[in-house]
């Protein structure tokens, strides 16, 4: 028997007094509906006490019936409610809403072209919700070149793409080699890369493509039946590293993970922060990939023979690989036949081309090296004349009186060294007027093409170019300058395809006394953010300026000059800056002249300030590329000194109470830091010689440590100042003050300032309140350029007048790709040892701050 409590209600559904009744457990109107054998509970249960009201007003209070309570009165968590009926609550209303609001705008939904991606267990529910809409309900579908859906659908998609690419590879293998290479590297391989970045678990399927590429595609390109594993790995390197850019599956292994890593930045709330983080991650990943490729190349070269290693070094130079990126367009005669394309690859890797003749026309054995040197074969004349005629045709567009093979004036008693040619019928390749300097200034050019594989040629490519350039200069330069009164430029090329000049490492012509301007233009061009800004004309061409403003021409002329300096197709090692110099003379109102030497720091200060104004810069930090790159901030402590004649306590107390003599603090911006060099000794040493003193750069920088005081005197009073840095710029300009003016002349301080090329730590110069903002790595600087002022070799005293043009300026700059240092003095460009830079009389230096991830 079960004790039951029932609640009786009247006609108005109001409760009346409850009465206890006894019923047999099997006669309970609610419990009789339950399959007790399945739920497995006893027949004897109490149904009285309150808790859950079942349909017949019975209340189940026993804890053993919790399972029945859950069925009768279920409870849901928030996550369960969100998952409940997603198809019915979200998907279907979206399609209905889109169909309703789209018609007024001319958009009509076509459900047959809509695809709903659901899990397999949701198929029945999806069909029920979207019944009658003709929407395609699928388990996976291709979106933007990849696939979204289950792992089974992903495998099907990758397998289908693999089959498609394999069929393309088979079709390409039957066409011409150049077409095969272009179509695969620019088409099929890019599609494979995209799949590897957007689709997971593609490694196994891509290995099938690798088998087809190695055994069918590459043999068709090379015309060779088989290739070994070392050659295959070499071909997988990029073109700039001497490979063929035919990637292997292991090169794509981390593409998907890296793509996911970059995509995580999109979860950031702030768009600017997300974009900045994505940019940092992208740069970090590029650096990792570059390091992996360099390590792979070094490992491959360690297993190669000396000849093969030399071929890879030459193929890695800038220029020899450019023809691989050229599309085989017939109308431009860029299409090569089978033998031409395959022979070019053989020459690239030092292989012997097929079907070569046995003997040359001169009777000697025919080899590649012999063909590049033999004058009877005709190839040396063809290549020389083709390059000569090409440059002559280009010069006709910008120069006057261009002449091919001009004859030099005969000698009339002039005496030269044995190395200088003295033949009366001597000729050079090209003569042109107006290329360097004025309209009537003449320039002579002579072409030299050498074979870097020759036994007599230096194996280091840089030494080889310098060697052949020096031979041409020894042969012609003195005769050209002394007899023709013209300039001479040798055009040196290697038969592998590269010329001798590096972008950015280009000399500037000294028209008369503008070397002080040339060095300033050079160091500013080696500040990458400023250089990149002026290389693109659209960055500044549309900046509005007031009518009649002369500064408008300054950014345009600077951009034109920098595009010449950093041109990848330079065929010369120097550029004429006369347009930029004319703009400097005009905009400075003739303060700076071409015919009169000035101070480089004055030009630098004026140029940066004028460019900042011309770009509509303001006092805000990021108002122009100049302030954004070079401007820092310092805290200045200023305190007036009490006059020394004040000695009484009353007067001292009066001055100390005066607010004008209180210590004051202010924050000031700076573009460069001025360092004061200690004066040189007045008297000779015990050996009756004036020894040049030395001092470390870090000692001079203590001026900005916030502790060292410096006194500034005026005709009224004296002031003591202390300096400390509060903001470090990305590029730090340091001016070492060497010239001091007295009543009679300007005296130069020759003290040698010792400095390192890397690792200048500025953390100790920061104010205490900002040190926590900068990590230790963010305060280290590396040298990128160094301006030097040197005296003329003379027996006079060291007192020099800058305006007398005694002395000259030159600049040391670093070539970032090779990490080599070069000395630029007007037109002369020479490589210099890093150890020699710190021994020079440094005048202006530019340092670059290290990034946290560098």
């Amino acid at each position: 028997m079960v004790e039951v409590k029932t609640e009786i209600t009247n006609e108005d559904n109001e409760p009346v007094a409850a009465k206890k009744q006894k019923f047999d457990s099997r006669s309970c109107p609610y419990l009789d509906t339950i399959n007790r054998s399945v739920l497995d509970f006893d027949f004897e249960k109490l149904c009285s006490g309150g808790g859950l009201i079942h349909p017949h007003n019975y209340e189940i209070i026993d804890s053993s019936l919790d399972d029945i309570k859950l069925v009768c009165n279920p409870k849901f968590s928030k996550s369960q409610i969100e998952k409940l009926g997603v198809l019915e609550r979200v998907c279907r209303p979206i399609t209905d809403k889109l169909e309703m609001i789209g018609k007024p705008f001319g958009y009509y939904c076509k459900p047959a072209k809509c695809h709903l991606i659901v899990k397999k267990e949701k198929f029945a529910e999806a069909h029920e919700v979207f019944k009658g809409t003709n929407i395609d309900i699928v388990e996976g579908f291709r979106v933007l070149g990849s696939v979204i859906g289950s792992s089974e659908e992903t495998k099907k998609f990758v397998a289908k793409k693999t089959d498609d690419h394999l069929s393309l590879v088979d079709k390409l293998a039957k066409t011409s080699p150049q077409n095969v290479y272009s179509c695969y590297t620019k088409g099929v391989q890019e599609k494979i890369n995209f799949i590897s970045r957007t689709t997971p678990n593609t490694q196994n399927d891509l290995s099938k493509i690798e088998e087809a590429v190695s055994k069918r595609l590459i043999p068709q390109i090379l015309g060779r039946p088989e290739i070994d594993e070392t050659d295959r790995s070499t071909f997988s390197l990029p073109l700039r590293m001497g490979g063929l850019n035919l990637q292997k599956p292991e090169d794509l292994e981390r593409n998907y993970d890296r793509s996911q890593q970059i995509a995580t930045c999109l979860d950031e709330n702030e768009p600017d922060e997300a974009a900045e983080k994505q940019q940092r991650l992208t740069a970090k990943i590029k650096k990792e990939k570059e390091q992996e490729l360099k390590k792979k190349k070094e490992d491959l070269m360690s297993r190669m023979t000396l000849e093969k290693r030399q071929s890879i070094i030459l193929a890695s130079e800038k220029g020899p690989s450019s023809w691989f990126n050229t599309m085989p367009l017939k109308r431009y005669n860029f299409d090569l036949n089978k033998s031409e394309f395959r022979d070019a690859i053989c020459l690239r890797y030092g292989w012997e081309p097929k079907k070569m003749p046995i003997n040359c026309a001169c009777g000697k054995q025919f080899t590649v090296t012999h063909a590049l040197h033999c004058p009877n074969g005709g190839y040396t004349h063809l290549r020389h004349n083709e390059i000569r005629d090409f440059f002559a045709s280009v010069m006709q567009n910008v120069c006057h009186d261009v002449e091919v093979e001009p004859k030099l004036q005969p000698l009339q008693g002039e005496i030269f060294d044995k190395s200088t040619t003295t033949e009366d019928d001597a000729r050079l390749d090209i003569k042109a007027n107006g290329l360097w300097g004025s309209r009537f200034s003449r320039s002579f050019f002579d072409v030299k093409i050498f074979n870097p594989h020759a036994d007599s040629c230096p194996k280091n490519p840089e030494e080889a170019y310098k060697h052949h350039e020096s031979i041409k200069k020894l042969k012609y330069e003195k005769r050209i300058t002394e007899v023709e009164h013209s300039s001479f430029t040798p055009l040196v090329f290697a038969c592998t395809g590269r010329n001798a000049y590096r972008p950015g490492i280009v000399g500037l012509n000294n028209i008369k006394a503008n070397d002080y301007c040339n060095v300033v233009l050079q160091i500013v061009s080696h500040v990458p953010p400023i250089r990149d800004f002026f290389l693109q004309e659209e960055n500044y061409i549309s900046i509005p300026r007031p009518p009649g403003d002369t500064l408008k021409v300054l950014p345009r002329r600077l951009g034109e000059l920098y595009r010449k300096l950093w041109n990848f197709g330079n065929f010369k090692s120097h550029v004429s800056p006369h347009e930029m110099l004319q703009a400097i003379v005009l905009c400075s109102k003739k303060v700076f002249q071409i015919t009169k030497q000035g101070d480089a720091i004055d030009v630098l200060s004026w140029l940066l300030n004028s460019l900042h104004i011309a770009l509509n810069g303001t006092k805000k930090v990021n108002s122009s590329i100049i302030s954004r790159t070079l401007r820092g901030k310092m805290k200045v402590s200023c305190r007036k000194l009490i006059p020394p004649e004040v000695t009484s306590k009353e007067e001292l107390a009066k001055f100390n109470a005066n607010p004008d003599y209180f210590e004051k603090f202010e924050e000031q911006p700076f573009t460069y830091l001025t360092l004061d060099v200690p004066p040189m000794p007045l008297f000779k040493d015990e050996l009756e010689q004036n020894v040049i003193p030395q001092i470390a750069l870090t000692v001079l920088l203590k001026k900005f440590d916030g502790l060292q005081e410096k006194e500034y005197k005026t005709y009224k009073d004296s002031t003591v100042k202390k300096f400390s840095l509060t903001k470090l710029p990305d590029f730090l300009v340091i001016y070492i003050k060497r010239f001091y003016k007295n009543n009679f002349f300007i005296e130069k301080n020759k003290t040698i300032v010792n400095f390192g090329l890397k690792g200048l730590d500025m953390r100790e110069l920061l104010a205490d309140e900002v040190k926590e903002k900068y990590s230790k790595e963010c305060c280290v600087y590396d040298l990128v350029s160094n301006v030097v002022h040197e005296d003329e070799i003379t027996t006079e005293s060291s007192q020099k007048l800058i305006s007398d043009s005694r002395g000259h300026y030159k600049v040391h700059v670093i070539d970032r790709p090779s990490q080599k240092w070069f000395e630029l003095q007007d037109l002369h460009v020479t490589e210099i040892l890093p150890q020699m830079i710190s021994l020079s009389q440094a005048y202006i230096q530019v340092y670059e701050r290290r990034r946290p991830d560098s």
Side-chain angles (χ1 to χ4, degrees):
M1 299 295 292
V2 178
E3 185 173 329
V4 179
K5 172 186 171 186
T6 182
E7 187 174 44
I8 309 299
T9 59
N10 57 15
E11 292 81 7
D12 298 327
N13 200 26
E14 296 176 352
V16 298
K19 298 180 180 179
K20 288 187 178 181
Q21 301 177 13
K22 288 189 178 182
F23 296 95
D24 184 74
S25 63
R26 299 184 182 277
S27 64
C28 177
Y30 176 68
L31 298 182
D32 287 342
T33 63
I34 299 175
N35 188 347
R36 304 185 183 192
S37 62
V38 175
L39 293 179
D40 190 21
F41 62 86
D42 296 335
F43 293 147
E44 302 288 334
K45 294 292 181 182
L46 294 176
C47 290
S48 61
L52 178 65
I53 302 176
H54 52 70
H56 295 278
N57 297 329
Y58 288 96
E59 299 177 1
I60 305 175
I61 61 173
D62 198 291
S63 60
S64 61
L65 295 179
D66 287 341
D67 50 356
I68 302 177
K69 292 182 181 181
L70 183 61
V71 174
C72 295
N73 188 17
K75 296 181 180 180
F76 296 91
S77 63
K78 186 176 181 180
S79 60
Q80 290 173 329
I81 294 174
E82 290 176 353
K83 295 179 181 179
L84 183 63
V86 173
L87 292 172
E88 189 171 358
R89 288 190 303 103
V90 179
C91 297
R92 181 57 188 266
I94 288 176
T95 57
D96 295 341
K97 188 77 172 179
L98 184 62
E99 188 173 0
M100 180 180 65
I101 66 175
K103 291 180 180 179
F105 298 97
Y107 178 80
Y108 294 89
C109 291
K110 292 185 178 180
K113 293 186 177 181
C114 297
H115 308 278
L116 179 64
I117 304 172
V118 298
K119 294 183 178 179
K120 196 170 184 179
E121 56 269 20
K122 294 286 185 179
F123 262 44
E125 182 183 351
H127 281 288
E128 182 65 27
V129 172
F130 291 91
K131 187 176 181 180
T133 59
N134 294 328
I135 290 180
D136 185 21
I137 301 174
V138 294
E139 192 177 348
F141 190 75
R142 176 184 172 181
V143 179
L144 298 177
S146 186
V147 64
I148 296 178
S150 61
S151 57
E152 291 79 7
E153 290 296 322
T154 303
K155 291 179 181 178
K156 292 179 183 178
F157 171 79
V158 176
K160 183 179 182 303
K161 284 294 180 182
T162 302
D163 294 337
D164 294 343
H165 295 328
L166 285 174
S167 63
L168 284 173
V169 170
D170 292 334
K171 290 180 181 179
L172 290 174
K174 300 176 183 178
T175 60
S176 65
Q178 189 181 16
N179 292 340
V180 172
Y181 180 80
S182 296
C183 292
Y184 181 78
T185 55
K186 293 179 172 59
V188 178
Q189 186 166 264
E190 292 299 321
K191 293 181 179 180
I192 295 173
N193 281 335
F194 183 82
I195 293 175
S196 68
R197 290 196 300 267
T198 58
T199 311
N201 305 323
T202 60
Q203 190 68 20
N204 295 332
D205 295 282
L206 294 181
S207 60
K208 301 177 183 178
I209 301 178
E210 166 60 20
E211 184 178 357
V213 170
S214 300
K215 294 184 178 180
R216 296 197 291 274
L217 192 73
I218 295 180
Q220 168 64 11
I221 294 175
L222 302 179
R224 292 170 168 251
E226 293 181 357
I227 57 171
D228 57 26
E229 185 60 30
T230 302
D231 287 339
R232 177 65 187 99
S233 299
T234 303
F235 297 154
S236 67
L237 292 173
L239 292 172
R240 67 179 185 277
M241 292 187 176
L244 292 179
N245 197 29
L246 298 171
Q247 297 174 344
K248 299 178 70 175
E250 52 262 31
D251 300 330
L252 313 176
E253 284 181 356
R254 299 182 60 189
N255 279 3
Y256 183 75
D257 295 335
R258 285 168 170 165
S259 181
Q260 274 192 324
Q261 187 179 358
I262 294 176
T264 55
C265 303
L266 301 177
D267 297 335
E268 301 291 339
N269 297 327
E270 294 293 335
D272 294 339
E273 183 180 352
E276 184 180 354
K277 185 176 179 182
Q278 193 173 41
Q279 187 176 6
R280 290 198 304 268
L281 277 174
T282 304
K284 181 181 178 181
I285 290 173
K286 284 184 178 180
K287 186 176 181 180
E288 290 177 357
K289 292 172 70 174
E290 190 69 18
Q291 291 175 348
E292 291 173 1
L293 289 172
K294 287 182 179 179
K295 185 177 180 181
K296 180 179 179 180
K297 179 182 176 181
E298 292 173 359
D299 181 59
L300 288 171
M301 292 184 67
S302 65
R303 304 198 301 264
M304 295 179 182
T305 61
L306 183 61
E307 294 78 9
K308 186 72 173 291
R309 196 180 306 136
Q310 179 69 10
S311 300
I312 298 298
I313 292 174
L314 294 172
S316 302
E317 296 290 323
K318 188 179 292 294
S321 302
S322 58
W323 66 279
F324 279 103
N325 288 322
T326 304
M327 297 293 291
L329 302 177
K330 190 173 183 180
R331 57 180 170 177
Y332 297 118
N333 297 322
F334 291 163
D335 58 327
L336 305 178
N337 60 35
K338 292 183 179 180
S339 60
E340 289 172 341
F341 186 79
R342 289 169 178 168
D343 289 350
I345 294 180
C346 290
L347 295 176
R348 177 181 176 86
Y349 292 109
W351 301 336
E352 183 176 332
K354 292 184 177 181
K355 299 181 181 179
M356 288 178 58
I358 299 176
N359 295 320
C360 178
C362 65
K364 295 183 180 180
Q365 184 181 0
F366 190 90
T367 61
V368 173
T369 302
H370 179 76
L372 295 174
H373 291 146
C374 181
N376 296 333
Y379 177 71
T380 54
H381 302 288
L382 288 173
R383 72 185 183 190
H384 175 275
N385 295 343
E386 185 175 352
I387 292 179
R388 178 201 64 195
D389 296 340
F390 171 76
F391 277 104
S393 64
V394 172
M395 288 181 185
Q396 287 176 352
N397 298 326
V398 294
C399 302
H400 307 282
D401 302 328
V402 178
E403 183 181 351
V404 176
E405 292 192 354
K407 188 176 180 180
L408 301 181
Q409 299 182 43
L411 300 180
Q412 297 178 348
E414 292 88 352
I415 300 176
F416 298 103
D417 298 335
K418 293 182 179 180
S419 57
T420 304
T421 181
T422 57
E423 300 174 359
D424 290 339
D425 59 345
R427 295 174 180 267
L428 292 181
D429 288 324
I430 305 172
K431 183 188 78 172
N433 289 351
L435 187 60
W436 319 133
S438 64
R439 178 187 180 95
F440 301 104
S441 60
R442 286 175 298 181
S443 303
F444 286 85
F445 302 86
D446 201 60
V447 177
K448 171 65 178 179
I449 303 173
F450 68 94
N451 177 20
H453 293 285
D455 294 336
S456 59
C457 182
K459 297 307 177 184
N460 188 330
E462 300 299 330
E463 295 178 2
Y465 286 111
K466 292 178 183 178
H467 171 71
H468 292 285
E469 185 177 4
S470 62
I471 291 177
K472 283 288 184 184
K473 286 184 175 181
L474 288 173
K475 189 174 182 180
Y476 295 109
E477 190 170 36
K478 279 194 175 181
R479 181 169 178 176
I480 295 296
T481 54
E482 297 182 12
V483 178
E484 302 290 340
H485 297 286
S486 306
S487 63
F488 173 68
T489 303
L491 304 177
V492 184
F493 298 87
C495 63
T496 54
R498 180 206 161 190
N499 61 23
Y501 308 115
R502 300 170 179 267
I505 312 298
V506 179
L508 293 176
N509 188 23
N510 189 356
I511 298 174
K512 188 171 183 181
N514 56 277
D515 56 340
Y516 71 107
C517 294
N518 289 350
V519 294
V520 171
L521 296 174
Q522 290 281 12
I523 63 173
V524 176
S525 76
H526 282 79
V527 178
I530 298 178
R531 175 202 65 194
D532 297 345
F533 179 85
F534 285 100
L535 287 180
Q536 295 182 341
E537 192 176 13
E538 57 270 17
N539 289 336
Y540 53 85
I541 195 65
S542 59
I543 294 178
R545 294 296 302 164
D549 184 18
T550 57
L551 289 180
K552 187 176 182 179
V553 72
L554 195 63
R556 297 183 182 183
R557 293 291 177 260
L558 188 66
E560 291 172 0
L561 176 62
Y562 284 177
R563 283 191 287 275
K564 293 177 184 178
L565 289 175
W566 293 92
N567 181 16
F568 286 99
N570 274 340
F571 60 89
K572 58 189 183 305
S573 63
H574 52 274
V575 168
S576 179
H578 62 277
E579 295 97 343
M580 181 62 195
L581 295 175
Q582 289 173 355
I584 291 176
V585 174
L586 174 65
C587 296
S588 68
K589 298 179 180 180
K590 298 185 179 181
V591 173
F592 304 109
Q593 297 283 346
I594 301 175
T595 58
K596 183 179 179 181
Q597 192 183 58
D599 196 344
I601 190 61
D602 294 337
V603 180
L604 178 64
S605 179
W606 173 86
L607 179 64
L608 296 178
N609 186 56
S610 299
L611 288 173
H612 179 69
I613 296 173
L615 298 174
N616 288 342
T618 61
K619 292 183 178 181
K620 295 182 179 179
V621 177
N622 295 325
S623 57
S624 75
I625 187 64
I626 304 298
S627 61
R628 189 162 55 247
T629 306
L630 300 175
R631 181 173 293 179
K633 290 183 180 181
M634 66 171 66
K635 184 176 72 172
V636 181
S637 169
C638 182
R639 178 174 55 86
K640 279 187 178 182
L641 289 179
I642 300 174
E645 60 270 13
V646 177
T647 57
S648 64
K649 294 183 179 181
E650 293 79 9
E651 291 180 345
L652 286 174
K654 185 178 179 181
F655 275 99
N656 289 329
N658 189 345
D660 293 339
Y661 288 84
F662 291 170
E663 188 173 13
K664 300 176 183 179
F665 297 91
E666 63 176 340
E667 192 174 46
Q668 297 179 356
F670 69 88
T671 305
Y672 59 87
L673 299 178
T674 302
L675 303 184
D676 302 309
V677 182
M680 295 181 64
L682 297 176
F683 305 101
K684 296 181 180 181
D685 62 356
E686 60 273 10
L687 299 178
E688 295 297 319
Q689 295 178 352
N690 284 330
V691 179
I692 299 177
Q694 300 185 26
I695 191 170
L697 180 66
T698 54
V699 175
L700 300 181
L701 284 171
K702 288 184 178 180
K703 171 184 176 181
F704 301 96
D705 61 1
L707 302 175
Q708 191 175 109
E709 294 183 340
K710 181 174 176 60
E711 184 177 354
Y712 294 86
K713 294 183 178 180
T714 64
Y715 69 95
K716 286 186 178 181
D717 48 27
S718 298
T719 304
V720 171
K721 293 184 178 181
K722 293 188 292 185
F723 308 92
S724 59
L725 306 182
T726 57
K727 181 185 177 183
L728 296 177
D730 293 337
F731 285 82
L732 177 67
V733 181
I734 293 179
Y735 162 50
I736 302 174
K737 190 174 182 180
R738 291 189 176 274
F739 295 98
Y740 297 90
K741 186 176 181 180
N742 54 32
N743 296 330
F744 306 101
F745 47 76
I746 299 176
E747 184 179 5
K748 179 183 176 183
N749 191 324
K750 295 183 179 181
T751 300
I752 295 177
V753 179
N754 296 322
F755 56 90
L757 303 186
K758 292 181 180 293
L760 177 62
D761 193 355
M762 302 288 289
R763 184 174 176 80
E764 296 300 323
L765 307 182
L766 290 172
D768 295 335
E769 59 268 20
V770 299
K771 280 187 177 180
E772 296 180 356
K773 298 181 182 179
Y774 291 89
S775 61
K776 187 175 182 180
E777 295 79 8
C778 293
C779 303
V780 179
Y781 285 81
D782 297 327
L783 186 69
V784 294
S785 58
N786 178 51
V787 174
V788 177
H789 182 274
E790 289 187 346
D791 300 320
E792 298 289 353
I793 301 176
T794 176
T795 58
E796 298 178 0
S797 65
S798 62
Q799 297 172 353
K800 304 292 180 181
L801 283 172
I802 300 179
S803 58
D804 286 345
S805 297
R806 297 178 181 176
H808 57 268
Y809 287 94
K810 59 184 179 181
V811 61
H812 302 134
V813 296
I814 186 172
D815 179 45
R816 293 173 184 267
S818 63
Q819 290 297 305
K820 293 182 179 179
W821 283 89
F822 290 85
E823 182 179 272
L824 310 180
Q825 183 180 351
D826 299 333
L827 299 179
H828 302 284
V829 179
T830 55
E831 187 176 347
I832 185 173
L833 292 174
Q835 295 84 350
M836 300 299 296
I837 297 175
S838 59
L839 299 178
S840 60
Q841 298 179 22
Y843 190 50
I844 303 173
Q845 296 180 324
V846 180
Y847 288 84
E848 181 180 6
R849 191 172 66 170
R850 292 181 185 175
R851 297 178 180 177
D853 55 347
S854 63

